[in-house]
Amino acid sequence: LKRCSASILSLKLFLRRAHAQVRAMSTEEKPSLPAEYKVPKVWEYKEMGGQFGGTNRPYAGAWGEDKPLPKGEHGLQLYSMGTPNGVKVTIMLEELVELFPDFEYDAWLISISGPQFESGFQAVNPNSKIPAMMDYSDAAKPVRVFESGAILMYLADKFDKDGVFLPKEYPLRAEVQSWLMWQMGSAPFIGGGFGHFYSYAPVKIEYGIDRYTMETKRLIDVLDKQLGSGGPYVCGEQYTIADMAIWPWIGWLVLGKLYGAAEFLQVEEYKHVVAWAKKIAERPAVVRGRMVNRPFGEKSEQLHNRHARGDFETKTQDKIEAAEAGK
């Protein structure tokens, strides 16, 4: 009994010392960047600076112009921009155009420099992020869909009855859904993390760049190993919405189309990913999908607003500007 009491006393002393050490570590001052920065007791908003600093706010809701969204003649109305998240959806829409002769949609360019906070867009997506979509196919029951992954699943469930892009049977359906959610969960590390600190932040911060470069390379390696084990597509032999979701992020990255970071990330190490990215880039629907709602890059590859199949031949920005110059 005495030995047991002594052991308990020793354990209590050990735990007290350990607790004191943890407390000391938690209160220890860490270096700050900038050096004079001190973490306040209560955070207060100030404009962050950088490319998108003026549009980031710590509150939700519409704060831009009270303006309704445009509406075309088709049942599906997409409001988006040709960033990776927007391109996921326009690829799927153009794949459906390839699949069904009568399938059509309208796509409206919504710049992410402020219009996403106008009342019309906020009514479709309360999170004020592109892409967002309205389905007026049943005028009595319009459907709003936001978040790119949700839009991909909605389009597949409604129009892809044969499971061409989203299999109907398990386990393959579960595999596609899992990789789709993997992309949705990993995108913030690549875009909001790596892309921000490497390309958009107003200052270069070594810790931020290193932290998110490491995670981005790990994610590319996850995909490389998956493709190497079963390819040529993410879920094996079938090209699916998982490929459509992942390609505009990681595919663009390894092809040097995103952040100009291909050399920095040593993307040639990921041979399976590079081969997959090149294979998908050749699909006609992907070529067109990249052009829709795109306000940057070559003018011949910019189709700001898309309303019909023939717009790719007649309404690209180079042709519009040439026509206006000739007036």
Side-chain angles (χ1 to χ4, degrees):
L1 188 60
K2 286 181 180 179
R3 282 198 298 272
C4 184
S5 298
S7 297
I8 292 172
L9 181 61
S10 297
L11 179 59
K12 285 181 177 178
L13 289 171
F14 170 78
L15 290 173
R16 268 187 212 147
R17 290 194 199 99
H19 183 63
Q21 288 174 343
V22 169
R23 204 166 43 201
M25 288 170 62
S26 64
T27 57
E28 181 182 336
E29 286 290 326
K30 295 179 180 178
S32 294
L33 189 64
E36 65 274 12
Y37 176 73
K38 300 291 182 186
V39 179
K41 288 186 177 180
V42 178
W43 181 84
E44 293 183 3
Y45 167 73
K46 59 180 180 295
E47 190 169 307
M48 298 292 294
Q51 185 168 343
F52 300 106
T55 60
N56 292 323
R57 311 284 173 94
Y59 50 82
W63 52 261
E65 187 179 352
D66 187 12
K67 184 179 178 182
L69 287 171
K71 183 181 176 183
E73 65 180 40
H74 304 299
L76 293 177
Q77 301 292 307
L78 178 70
Y79 304 99
S80 189
M81 183 174 167
T83 64
N85 283 335
V87 170
K88 297 178 198 177
V89 176
T90 50
I91 287 175
M92 176 57 166
L93 288 166
E94 288 300 322
E95 292 286 2
L96 291 171
V97 167
E98 292 265 323
L99 204 57
F100 304 112
D102 297 329
F103 183 87
E104 271 295 2
Y105 69 98
D106 292 290
W108 304 89
L109 172 60
I110 300 293
S111 171
I112 58 174
S113 62
Q116 76 270 38
F117 298 104
E118 293 173 356
S119 60
F121 187 85
Q122 202 269 336
V124 181
N125 185 356
N127 195 35
S128 298
K129 304 286 185 183
I130 62 96
M133 188 179 75
M134 288 296 302
D135 184 356
Y136 295 103
S137 300
D138 183 346
K141 295 180 181 178
V143 179
R144 77 173 185 183
V145 195
F146 56 91
E147 293 295 332
S148 55
I151 297 174
L152 289 175
M153 293 184 69
Y154 178 85
L155 292 170
D157 284 339
K158 181 166 184 175
F159 298 102
D160 182 16
K161 301 301 184 184
D162 294 327
V164 176
F165 302 123
L166 177 58
K168 300 297 182 184
E169 302 296 327
Y170 295 98
L172 187 53
R173 183 180 179 88
E175 186 76 4
V176 172
Q177 291 173 326
S178 295
W179 282 102
L180 174 62
M181 294 304 113
W182 174 82
Q183 190 285 317
M184 298 294 291
S186 65
F189 292 98
I190 298 175
F194 174 74
H196 177 77
F197 284 104
Y198 182 80
S199 188
Y200 299 135
V203 292
K204 298 297 185 186
I205 301 172
E206 181 182 10
Y207 175 80
I209 292 173
D210 287 350
R211 168 70 181 84
Y212 289 105
T213 296
M214 177 177 64
E215 180 61 8
T216 296
K217 286 180 70 67
R218 188 191 72 81
L219 290 167
I220 300 173
D221 197 42
V222 169
L223 180 61
D224 196 63
K225 287 179 168 56
Q226 171 67 11
L227 290 165
S229 68
Y233 300 110
V234 174
C235 297
E237 295 297 323
Q238 186 173 352
Y239 169 73
T240 68
I241 59 173
D243 298 281
M244 298 180 206
I246 298 168
W247 185 84
W249 281 104
I250 295 181
W252 272 9
L253 203 56
V254 301
L255 294 177
K257 306 292 186 182
L258 194 61
Y259 311 130
E263 181 180 3
F264 178 76
L265 293 169
Q266 298 175 290
V267 298
E268 71 279 356
E269 296 177 351
Y270 309 106
K271 299 189 186 324
H272 301 297
V273 173
V274 171
W276 163 85
K278 289 178 178 178
K279 182 179 181 68
I280 290 179
E282 294 173 353
R283 295 180 67 90
V286 172
V287 173
R288 296 195 306 273
R290 285 185 63 241
M291 297 170 64
V292 178
N293 300 146
R294 182 182 178 90
F296 48 82
E298 295 291 331
K299 296 290 180 70
S300 61
E301 296 179 356
Q302 296 182 31
L303 182 62
H304 290 189
N305 299 302
R306 186 257 190 231
H307 305 295
R309 296 171 184 237
D311 288 352
F312 294 95
E313 303 299 326
T314 61
K315 300 291 180 63
T316 52
Q317 202 58 22
D318 61 325
K319 293 184 175 66
I320 289 175
E321 292 182 7
E324 290 175 350
K327 289 180 180 178

